[in-house]
Structure formats: structure tokens, C-alpha cells
């Protein structure tokens, strides 16, 4: 089977043409052919059919192979062009080949022609396929996001791109030609901070011939900053050149999303300040640096806003949020770039002062912040003055953990707050010891509640006017035999006072644990227990002695208790369980507790009164001495603080105060109880001033329930008439 071949002949001689055809047939072809002799004919033939090969004579009348070749090239059809001639020399033949002819066969050697044609057909096909593949690659490359490239690093240290796709226009804002001509244009765009990393990654890939993978920032000619990612396969050529084939992608969007995620993980959403995680990272850097660099000092400031909750509750959460944002901004203005302010809790901020000269610097900044805070802020059209308590820790080599720094700064802040709002304290080791003690105490209190280590002591409250003033109290019992030395006063009730029978520390008075119990909220459980147990005790006494025993028990409540929504419910339950009526009870609350939320407290007190429970205002005069709102309070009794009683001297200021309180109370119908009466002189004055009830060591210390019971049985408390009378216990 012979091979079909469309052959176009540029030949003036019919005979020569037939010779060629003959030769092709002999070589296994089945040629279909056309012969042309002029440029015009050649044009027409090229345009009207497809040709597998052009076989051209060298010289024709008015035409020649050079011209024919030129026309063939212009047609862009890449048809094999074979010269057949007997007349040209070597030189011309070479010229022709240079101009793009594919082969040259001598007329006297025509039997070589089929071989030449066959080879050229094959080559043309290879060329066609390659071209197709290249076109495909171009199409692909221009449709892929990013840029495809082959980059060569030559053994002699020079480098260039062998291939670069059109993507470079978009990505690098350079044309492929510009890049091919000068590869360093690309490298000039690498962000200055990423160059070292890029170099390391490239070197590593070159040395180990491992894939190159790297992300970096580009600064493009138009001034854009882009994140790009390169991934390329590397290979080493025989000549030692290293080539990377790969793609470069614009990953700015992904990077931005990632950065946002990272940012969000490290910042507080409300103020956009660093959060605790970021703070801890930075503290750890500071800790490590302090260990390495002798001269490096830093400080940590722990800020807690005073009374933020009140502002939040009264002005609303939106205003509260706004306030926190404003404060975040304010704090920043006092810091340098290197410092850091973080928000680590509702109203808690922590500042890290980097590289300071000493504690004075930290104090200076603290004082500046505090002064700045004195300027009122406008929130919701109202002026708000906010103050803050600040704890300061000087970072030294001794710190190894961020948590320790924060703990100590926190301790110091608490100290500042406890001492005086709007103040600061510098942490010292003594504070730490105390804090540890407090912490143990807190856990111990919890255990004490479980193990029922609390007990109640009962301090008698007595009627000090009694018969002597023709008082309303009947049945004052005086044992006639002892009248000369001992006076007897009628017992009207007890104040229930908590004691802690600690398994190792022994008997602990409330002063040592009540403040912590209040801070931790444990006081609520303690007082609930006290209330129940005291009621139970009184109920027992009532059944044991007479059912109309005229004794009251007075129980202390703290601020935490009256904030509890279920206080009344608890009280009702206790009354129901013990079968006690409210009128055998009094509740003692202090003035400061009243003031905190006066309308709400009045509400609560009214509810208590509805249950016939009496209200006693405790420690009166010690705090706000607000005689002016006394009449608004639904109170029954008023306890004059023992500091006044203690320091009374005839006619002195305390004496005057006590006198006024008693007079005013009597007018308002409040019963006055003087506490802390230690001497008969004090008693005498109080009696003169018309104080009805008294309580104090002169009559009795707080008593265990057994001792108290003995007293209940006798209904009377005896006291000595000596200055420092013997006390009953
Ligand atoms: P307070 O309510 O003012 O209780 C009176 C305190 O004065 C008691 O101290 C009592 O022992 C003491 N005292 C009584 N007579 C005299 C005296 O003649 N001279 C002197 N110098 N002191 C006298 P205590 O029992 O140590 O209680 C201290 C405070 O602890 C109480 O002060 C009260 O505020 C609080 N407290 C005690 N028990 C409870 C409780 O069950 N719940 C709550 N929330 N607080 C309690
Ligand atoms: Ca009290
Ligand atoms: Ca008191």
C-alpha cells in the first residue's frame, strides 16, 4: 500500500517534475501533485488546498526557490520545503537551509528524495504536535490563577527564567518579556523582611533538590502589598544547572483571613486590646529577657476599675461598653509603642511596661494614669468619674511564670482597693504570704461549713433602765441579799455571734474570717446556718422553759446577704421549720449596707417587718452618721457603735454624739442599744441619757449555748457595781 502524498511542485520543467513523481512512486508514495511556476500560482495553490510537502527547483524563469520559500513561510503553514536542483553549489544550498528550507536533494541523486520527504513529514508532524502542546500550555497557563514558570539557576551563579506565563502581568505587574530579560526584577519585589527567609528556603531546596515551598510578601511596582506562595519542583540538569518548575499564587485573601483569625484569637473583641493569651506571651518574653539581660527591667500594672458594676448597672451595658472602649484608648496614650495594655476581664486591664529604668518609672506612669482618670468622661450625656485601683509588680529575674506576675500584681491591686479606692500599691513579698494565708482560710471556711465547725455564742442584751427609771420593764428581779454589791438587770435577749472551732487553729473570732467570707460570698452560707441554728436554739429554750419566754435573738446580716434574692424565702423556711414567730427575732444591719442601695433595702426591710421581725441598725455612728435619713428607715432599734461608748467622757465629743443619738432616737421612736459597755461609769452615763438597752462585757461576754441557757433559766444578769465589774460568764 503506497502512502498518499499531496505534493506541490515549483518547477518549470514538466520532465523534471515527472522524474520527481516517478521517484516518489518508487519510494512508496502515491503522490497527488500540482506544478506551479510563478509566485502568483504558488499563492493560489497554497491557499486552495493543503499540502504535505513543497518540492522546489532552484531556478525558474522569473522565479526562484528563495522567493518560493519566502511565500511558503508567509503562509505560516509549516509545510516541509525540499529543494531539488542540480545547478547550485554548496554555498547556495547552505544559504537556503539557513533561510528555512528543510532539505536539499541533488537532481542526479533523486533516489534519496523519498527518504528525505519521509523524514521531513515526520519532523513536521513532531513540530505540529509540539506547537499544539505549546498552545495548549499557553491556554492552560493563562487560565490558571497565578503564574507558571521555569526558573534556572546556573552553575556560574547567574539565573534567569526559561518560561514565564502571562500571569506575571497580574501578579508582578511585569510583562513576560521584561521578566525573561531581567529576572532580578522579580526578586526586587520581595518584601525586605522576607528576603532572608526566602533565601534560606531556596538554598535548602537547591541543596537537597526538594520541592521549594515558600510564602512571602511582594511589594509590586504600583505599591501594592501582596502575599504570594510559590511551590515548585526542583531538578538538577546534567550541566549542573538547577531548574524549578512551579507556580506562584496570590494568597493575599487567605493570608488576610488567617491574620484576622489570629488577631481575633489574641485580642479582646470589645476594645481590640490584646487579650490574656497575647499578654501572657509577651510576659513570657519579658521574663526570659530579664533572665538573659542583666540591665533589663519591666513592670506589670494590674488595673481594676472601681465601682464599674455600679456604672454598668445604672447607665446600662452599652454605656459600660463605651466606657471600657474609652478607657482602653486613654490607657494607650500613656504608653510607648513597646509597652502593651491588655484587657483580661470585665473591668480589668494589665499593662506591661517594657525596659524601664526602675520602679520610679512605673510609679510615674501609674500616677499619670490616675490623674488622667480624674477628668470626668461623658457617657450617655452624663458625667462619669471613674477611678481605678492599681497593683504594681516590678519584673525581676526571680519570676519564671507569667501567672506568678499576674497573681502578684493582682494581690497588690486588691491591697490598693482595700486600703482606699483610687490608689496604687507596689507588690512586696509580705503581701504574698498574706494572700496565701487568705487562700488557705478560704478553703478552710468551705470545709468548716461542710464539717459544721461553726458555733454560736450568745451575748446577752439587757434592759439598763428597768425599775430605776420606772421603766416599762416589769419583773426586774433583784436578789435582795446581794443588792449591796450586785445589781441585777433584766435579760431581754441575745445577739448571736459566730465563732469558728478550727480543728488546728482553735477558737477563731469573726474578725479573722468574716472579711474573707464576705469577699468570697461564703458569708451567705454562714449566715443562713446562723439564722437557722439561732432560731432552733430559741425554739428549744421556749419549749424547755416557758412558751412565752420574752427573749429576742438578734442576728447579724452582711451586705452579701441582703443582695440575695432568696433571702426572704430562706427566712420563711426557717421560721416554718422551727415554728418560731418573727417577733422573737431582730436582724442587725449596718448603716453602710443601707446606703448601698437604699430603696431596695427599704423594700426588703419592709418585707421583714411584715413578718414582725425587728430591724436593728448596727454600729450606728461609725460610718456615715446619717441622722438625716433615719426617719425614712423602717427600723426599730439603733445600736450605738461601741467606739463611742468606749471613748465617752463626761461632756466630750463622743458623749455629745451619744447624747444626740439617744435623744433623736427617742423622738423617732427608735429603741437605743448601747454596745460595748465595759464600765459602770459608762453604764451610769448611758442610763442618765435615757439609753434603754445595753450590751457589753460589763454584763457579759458572748456565751456558749450551755452558759447562755443557764442565764435563760434565771432571766437575769447580775453585774458588779465596781468600776470594772466582775463579768459573768
Ligand atoms: P458586732 O455586730 O458589732 O458585734 C459585737 C462585737 O463586739 C462582738 O465581737 C462582741 O464580742 C464584741 N463585744 C461585745 N461586748 C463588748 C465589750 O464590752 N467590749 C468590746 N471591746 N467588745 C465587745 P465579735 O463576736 O468578734 O464579732 C465581731 C463582728 O463580726 C460583729 O460585730 C459582726 O459585725 C460580725 N459578726 C459576728 N457574727 C456574725 C454573723 O453571724 N454574721 C455576720 N454577718 N457577721 C457577724
Ligand atoms: Ca451586731
Ligand atoms: Ca455592733
Amino acid at each position: 500500500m503506497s502512502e498518499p502524498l499531496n505534493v506541490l511542485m515549483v518547477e518549470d520543467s514538466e520532465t523534471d517534475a515527472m522524474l520527481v513523481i516517478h521517484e516518489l512512486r518508487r519510494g512508496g508514495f502515491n503522490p497527488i501533485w500540482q506544478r506551479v511556476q510563478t509566485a502568483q500560482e504558488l499563492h493560489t495553490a497554497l491557499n486552495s488546498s493543503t499540502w504535505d510537502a513543497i518540492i522546489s527547483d532552484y531556478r525558474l524563469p522569473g522565479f526562484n526557490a528563495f522567493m518560493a520559500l519566502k511565500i511558503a513561510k508567509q503562509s505560516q503553514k509549516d509545510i516541509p520545503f525540499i529543494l531539488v536542483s542540480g545547478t547550485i553549489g554548496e554555498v547556495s544550498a547552505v544559504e537556503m537551509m539557513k533561510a528555512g528550507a528543510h532539505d536539499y536533494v541533488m537532481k542526479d541523486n533523486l533516489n534519496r528524495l523519498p527518504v528525505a520527504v519521509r523524514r521531513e513529514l515526520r519532523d513536521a508532524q513532531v513540530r505540529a504536535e509540539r506547537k499544539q502542546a505549546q498552545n495548549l500550555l499557553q491556554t492552560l497557563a493563562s487560565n490558571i490563577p497565578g503564574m507558571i514558570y521555569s526558573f534556572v539557576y546556573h552553575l556560574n551563579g547567574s539565573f534567569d527564567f526559561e518560561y514565564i506565563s502571562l500571569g506575571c502581568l497580574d501578579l508582578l505587574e511585569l510583562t513576560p518579556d521584561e521578566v525573561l530579560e531581567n529576572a532580578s526584577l522579580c526578586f526586587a519585589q520581595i518584601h525586605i523582611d522576607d528576603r532572608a527567609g526566602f533565601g534560606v528556603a531556596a538554598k535548602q531546596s537547591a541543596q537537597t533538590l526538594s520541592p521549594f515551598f515558600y510564602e512571602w510578601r511582594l511589594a509590586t511596582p504600583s505599591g501594592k502589598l501582596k502575599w504570594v506562595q510559590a511551590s515548585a519542583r526542583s531538578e538538577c540538569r546534567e550541566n549542573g544547572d538547577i531548574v524549578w518548575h512551579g507556580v506562584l499564587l496570590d494568597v493575599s485573601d487567605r493570608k488576610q483571613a488567617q491574620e484576622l483569625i489570629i488577631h481575633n484569637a489574641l485580642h479582646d473583641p470589645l476594645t481590640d486590646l490584646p487579650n490574656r493569651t497575647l499578654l501572657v506571651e509577651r510576659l513570657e518574653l519579658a521574663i526570659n529577657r530579664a533572665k538573659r539581660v542583666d540591665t533589663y527591667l519591666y513592670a506589670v500594672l494590674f488595673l481594676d476599675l472601681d465601682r464599674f458594676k455600679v456604672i454598668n448597672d445604672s447607665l446600662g451595658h452599652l454605656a459600660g461598653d463605651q466606657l471600657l472602649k474609652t478607657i482602653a484608648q486613654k490607657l494607650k496614650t500613656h504608653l510607648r509603642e513597646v509597652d502593651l495594655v491588655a484587657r483580661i476581664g470585665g473591668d480589668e486591664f494589665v499593662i506591661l511596661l517594657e525596659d524601664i529604668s526602675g520602679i520610679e518609672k512605673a510609679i510615674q506612669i501609674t500616677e499619670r494614669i490616675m490623674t488622667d482618670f480624674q477628668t470626668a468622661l461623658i457617657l450617655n450625656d452624663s458625667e462619669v468619674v471613674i477611678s481605678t485601683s492599681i497593683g504594681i509588680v516590678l519584673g525581676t529575674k526571680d519570676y519564671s511564670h507569667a501567672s506568678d506576675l499576674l497573681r502578684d500584681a493582682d494581690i497588690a491591686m486588691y491591697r490598693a482597693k482595700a486600703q482606699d479606692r483610687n490608689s496604687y500599691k507596689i507588690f512586696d513579698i509580705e503581701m504574698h504570704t498574706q494572700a496565701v494565708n487568705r487562700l488557705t482560710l478560704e478553703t478552710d471556711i468551705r470545709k468548716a461549713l461542710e464539717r459544721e465547725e461553726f458555733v454560736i455564742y450568745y451575748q446577752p442584751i439587757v434592759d439598763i433602765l428597768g425599775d430605776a427609771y420606772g421603766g416599762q420593764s416589769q419583773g426586774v428581779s433583784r436578789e435582795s441579799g446581794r443588792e449591796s454589791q450586785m445589781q441585777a438587770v433584766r435579760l431581754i435577749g441575745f445577739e448571736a455571734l459566730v465563732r469558728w472551732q478550727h480543728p488546728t487553729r482553735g477558737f477563731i473570732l469573726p474578725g479573722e474570717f468574716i472579711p474573707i467570707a464576705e469577699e468570697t460570698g461564703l458569708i451567705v452560707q454562714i449566715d443562713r446556718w446562723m439564722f437557722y441554728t439561732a432560731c432552733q436554739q430559741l425554739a428549744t429554750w421556749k419549749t424547755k422553759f416557758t412558751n412565752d419566754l420574752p427573749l429576742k435573738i438578734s442576728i447579724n446580716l452582711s451586705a452579701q446577704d441582703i443582695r440575695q434574692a432568696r433571702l426572704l424565702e430562706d427566712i420563711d423556711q426557717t421560721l416554718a421549720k422551727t415554728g418560731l414567730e418573727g417577733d422573737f427575732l431582730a436582724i442587725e444591719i449596718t448603716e453602710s449596707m443601707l446606703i448601698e442601695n437604699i430603696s431596695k433595702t427599704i423594700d426588703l426591710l419592709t418585707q421583714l417587718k411584715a413578718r414582725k421581725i425587728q430591724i436593728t441598725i448596727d454600729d450606728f455612728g461609725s460610718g456615715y452618721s446619717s441622722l438625716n435619713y433615719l426617719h425614712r428607715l423602717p427600723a426599730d432599734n439603733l445600736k450605738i457603735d461601741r467606739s463611742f461608748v468606749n471613748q465617752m467622757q463626761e461632756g466630750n465629743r463622743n458623749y455629745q454624739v451619744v447624747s444626740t443619738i439617744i435623744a433623736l432616737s427617742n423622738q423617732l421612736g427608735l429603741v437605743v442599744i448601747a454596745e460595748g459597755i465595759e464600765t459602770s461609769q459608762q453604764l451610769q452615763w448611758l442610763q442618765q441619757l435615757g439609753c434603754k438597752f445595753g450590751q457589753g462585757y460589763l454584763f457579759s461576754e458572748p456565751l456558749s449555748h450551755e452558759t447562755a441557757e443557764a442565764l435563760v433559766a434565771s432571766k437575769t444578769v447580775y453585774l458588779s457595781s465596781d468600776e470594772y465589774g466582775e463579768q459573768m460568764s
Side-chain angles (χ1 to χ4, degrees):
M1 255 299 257
S2 46
E3 232 173 287
L5 182 75
N6 290 317
V7 59
L8 181 60
M9 276 197 281
V10 184
E11 179 65 78
D12 57 332
S13 151
E14 172 85 35
T15 325
D16 284 356
M18 288 320 291
L19 278 174
V20 165
I21 296 301
H22 176 71
E23 216 41 68
L24 287 173
R25 284 201 180 114
R26 266 181 23 130
F29 288 105
N30 176 18
I32 297 164
W33 56 282
Q34 185 183 341
R35 186 166 65 92
V36 294
Q37 299 183 58
T38 63
Q40 186 53 50
E41 284 173 359
L42 178 59
H43 262 299
T44 318
L46 281 170
N47 288 335
S48 55
S49 325
T50 45
W51 301 104
D52 298 319
I54 299 169
I55 295 176
S56 176
D57 193 5
Y58 185 63
R59 195 170 291 121
L60 296 85
F63 199 34
N64 64 36
F66 266 109
M67 291 157 77
L69 180 61
K70 205 171 163 198
I71 292 165
K73 290 276 166 208
Q74 275 164 0
S75 78
Q76 297 220 328
K77 287 185 171 156
D78 193 24
I79 306 165
F81 190 100
I82 299 167
L83 194 65
V84 176
S85 177
T87 52
I88 59 167
E90 284 290 314
V91 179
S92 303
V94 170
E95 288 284 297
M96 278 301 287
M97 299 297 278
K98 270 190 186 162
H102 293 100
D103 206 351
Y104 167 65
V105 178
M106 300 285 279
K107 271 189 181 166
D108 51 14
N109 201 10
L110 263 187
N111 57 351
R112 204 181 74 84
L113 184 63
V115 182
V117 169
R118 203 159 265 127
R119 193 190 56 231
E120 288 315 319
L121 287 177
R122 215 172 40 235
D123 284 3
Q125 175 151 16
V126 169
R127 280 199 306 277
E129 280 168 3
R130 185 177 297 155
K131 180 134 202 243
Q132 211 178 3
Q134 244 166 23
N135 286 342
L136 186 67
L137 178 65
Q138 274 303 351
T139 325
L140 275 177
S142 53
N143 280 305
I144 281 176
M147 176 185 111
I148 295 177
Y149 61 88
S150 288
F151 176 79
V152 194
Y153 185 78
H154 301 287
L155 204 54
N156 64 9
S158 65
F159 51 83
D160 51 46
F161 283 93
E162 278 186 343
Y163 173 79
I164 191 142
S165 74
L166 265 178
C168 63
L169 264 180
D170 221 23
L171 209 56
L172 310 175
E173 296 164 9
L174 295 170
T175 64
D177 286 344
E178 283 173 312
V179 177
L180 292 173
E181 205 158 287
N182 183 3
S184 41
L185 286 178
C186 299
F187 298 98
Q189 292 190 10
I190 300 179
H191 191 283
I192 190 99
D193 294 342
D194 294 339
R195 285 189 190 167
F198 179 92
V200 171
K203 197 167 169 189
Q204 142 100 21
S205 166
Q207 280 170 350
T208 60
L209 290 181
S210 55
F212 173 72
F213 186 88
Y214 196 65
E215 291 182 347
W216 68 93
R217 282 161 296 176
L218 276 185
T220 67
S222 74
K224 283 191 196 132
L225 195 72
K226 295 176 182 175
W227 269 100
V228 292
Q229 176 201 74
S231 48
R233 198 170 47 77
S234 55
E235 67 181 40
C236 186
R237 286 186 177 152
E238 262 172 33
N239 63 1
D241 290 354
I242 295 169
V243 196
W244 284 273
H245 306 285
V247 313
L248 186 72
L249 292 174
D250 185 335
V251 292
S252 306
D253 288 350
R254 172 169 60 74
K255 273 284 178 186
Q256 246 167 28
Q258 269 175 359
E259 275 168 6
L260 188 68
I261 290 170
I262 293 172
H263 179 91
N264 289 347
L266 297 175
H267 290 79
D268 159 45
L270 179 68
T271 59
D272 207 39
L273 289 183
N275 63 12
R276 184 184 288 267
T277 315
L278 183 51
L279 170 71
V280 166
E281 269 177 28
R282 287 282 306 271
L283 289 178
E284 274 162 7
L285 288 179
I287 287 169
N288 292 335
R289 194 160 161 218
K291 290 203 192 289
R292 285 195 321 268
V293 185
D294 263 344
T295 50
Y296 172 76
L297 278 179
Y298 60 98
V300 178
L301 273 47
F302 199 115
L303 283 84
D304 186 287
L305 304 182
D306 300 328
R307 303 188 324 118
F308 175 69
K309 203 181 136 21
V310 178
I311 291 170
N312 217 14
D313 289 349
S314 54
L315 292 181
H317 283 268
L318 282 180
D321 285 356
Q322 190 51 49
L323 176 69
L324 291 170
K325 283 193 210 169
T326 314
I327 283 171
Q329 288 309 317
K330 240 181 201 292
L331 290 176
K332 276 200 232 166
T333 60
H334 295 283
L335 306 178
R336 302 158 300 168
E337 268 298 304
V338 291
D339 301 327
L340 174 116
V341 51
R343 176 170 174 241
I344 64 163
D347 59 348
E348 292 173 338
F349 296 86
V350 173
I351 291 173
L352 166 64
L353 297 177
E354 286 272 13
D355 210 357
I356 54 168
S357 46
I359 193 76
E360 320 76 52
K361 192 73 206 164
I363 293 173
Q364 192 185 36
I365 291 171
T366 303
E367 282 175 349
R368 267 192 225 143
I369 291 173
M370 296 194 127
T371 318
D372 186 11
F373 273 41
Q374 280 164 14
T375 338
L377 301 167
I378 308 293
L379 271 188
N380 272 4
D381 295 331
S382 44
E383 281 206 345
V384 177
V385 180
I386 189 106
S387 68
T388 168
S389 304
I390 304 183
I392 305 174
V393 173
L394 185 65
T396 59
K397 275 190 204 19
D398 303 333
Y399 281 102
S400 297
H401 302 288
S403 54
D404 293 350
L405 273 168
L406 288 175
R407 177 200 60 207
D408 290 351
D410 191 28
I411 291 173
M413 184 281 292
Y414 257 100
R415 278 312 192 80
K417 203 176 270 286
Q419 176 201 43
D420 198 0
R421 301 230 151 136
N422 200 27
S423 66
Y424 67 86
K425 271 260 173 279
I426 299 161
F427 177 81
D428 62 47
I429 201 67
E430 177 61 20
M431 286 183 192
H432 178 71
T433 322
Q434 283 171 6
V436 169
N437 288 344
R438 285 166 65 90
L439 202 68
T440 3
L441 203 59
E442 185 187 329
T443 9
D444 280 6
I445 293 175
R446 286 181 201 280
K447 282 190 206 146
L449 276 162
E450 280 165 29
R451 301 178 189 162
E452 302 213 19
E453 288 166 9
F454 293 111
V455 289
I456 305 185
Y457 266 54
Y458 297 88
Q459 187 174 36
I461 301 173
V462 296
D463 185 335
I464 57 171
L465 288 186
D467 275 348
Y469 279 79
Q472 312 89 320
S473 49
Q474 268 135 51
V476 171
S477 110
R478 287 192 180 161
E479 294 203 352
S480 40
R482 300 169 73 176
E483 203 170 342
S484 53
Q485 288 138 3
M486 306 284 278
Q487 212 186 332
V489 283
R490 187 171 61 106
L491 175 72
I492 62 116
F494 294 101
E495 176 175 3
L497 294 161
V498 67
R499 300 288 180 263
W500 182 2
Q501 199 60 62
H502 193 282
T504 54
R505 292 173 56 191
F507 202 69
I508 307 180
L509 289 175
E512 263 193 74
F513 61 89
I514 293 243
I516 292 164
E518 281 180 332
E519 236 173 64
T520 53
L522 289 166
I523 190 70
V524 174
Q525 278 167 284
I526 296 179
D527 283 346
R528 194 178 296 154
W529 178 86
M530 285 288 291
F531 192 85
Y532 180 79
T533 315
C535 286
Q536 216 180 21
Q537 180 64 78
L538 188 59
T540 312
W541 284 336
K542 277 163 81 66
T543 35
K544 208 162 176 178
F545 303 100
T546 115
N547 207 25
D548 49 279
L549 190 72
L551 289 182
K552 271 194 206 311
I553 286 202
S554 213
I555 296 156
N556 293 284
L557 288 189
S558 74
Q560 291 265 18
D561 295 313
I562 62 172
R563 282 191 211 120
Q564 293 293 309
R566 42 173 300 195
L567 175 68
L568 282 170
E569 203 183 307
D570 282 344
I571 288 177
D572 287 340
Q573 260 179 23
T574 301
L575 292 180
K577 258 197 194 157
T578 54
L580 214 60
E581 294 289 334
D583 52 2
F584 291 101
L585 297 173
I587 294 273
E588 297 193 7
I589 57 172
T590 60
E591 281 186 272
S592 49
M593 281 159 63
L594 282 166
I595 291 188
E596 201 170 284
N597 191 344
I598 195 149
S599 60
K600 215 170 145 194
T601 314
I602 288 181
D603 215 51
L604 176 74
L605 299 186
T606 316
Q607 303 242 43
L608 289 174
K609 283 195 75 121
R611 290 158 176 78
K612 295 197 217 143
I613 297 174
Q614 289 205 344
I615 312 295
T616 301
I617 299 174
D618 203 357
D619 301 345
F620 192 80
S622 68
Y624 297 79
S625 306
S626 0
L627 288 166
N628 49 354
Y629 67 80
L630 257 186
H631 65 280
R632 285 179 58 196
L633 301 176
D636 304 281
N637 316 304
L638 199 144
K639 265 195 176 179
I640 302 179
D641 193 62
R642 64 175 182 275
S643 59
F644 290 100
V645 177
N646 261 320
Q647 291 160 38
M648 251 165 103
Q649 285 298 324
E650 192 139 29
N652 77 351
R653 192 180 165 272
N654 284 313
Y655 188 94
Q656 292 304 331
V657 171
V658 172
S659 155
T660 313
I661 293 175
I662 294 171
L664 192 76
S665 302
N666 288 345
Q667 261 177 31
L668 291 172
L670 290 167
V671 176
V672 182
I673 306 164
E675 65 177 356
I677 307 176
E678 293 180 351
T679 68
S680 44
Q681 174 66 81
Q682 289 164 354
L683 174 62
Q684 210 184 323
W685 283 330
L686 287 162
Q687 284 170 331
Q688 279 164 15
L689 292 172
C691 175
K692 186 158 171 54
F693 293 147
Q695 184 183 350
Y697 294 164
L698 178 65
F699 312 106
S700 169
E701 287 184 344
L703 309 169
S704 70
H705 71 97
E706 294 97 342
T707 321
E709 188 168 313
L711 216 57
V712 174
S714 78
K715 296 180 187 155
T716 308
V717 176
Y718 294 98
L719 65 142
S720 150
S721 55
D722 301 341
E723 249 306 285
Y724 291 96
E726 311 157 31
Q727 293 146 17
M728 285 218 36
S729 59

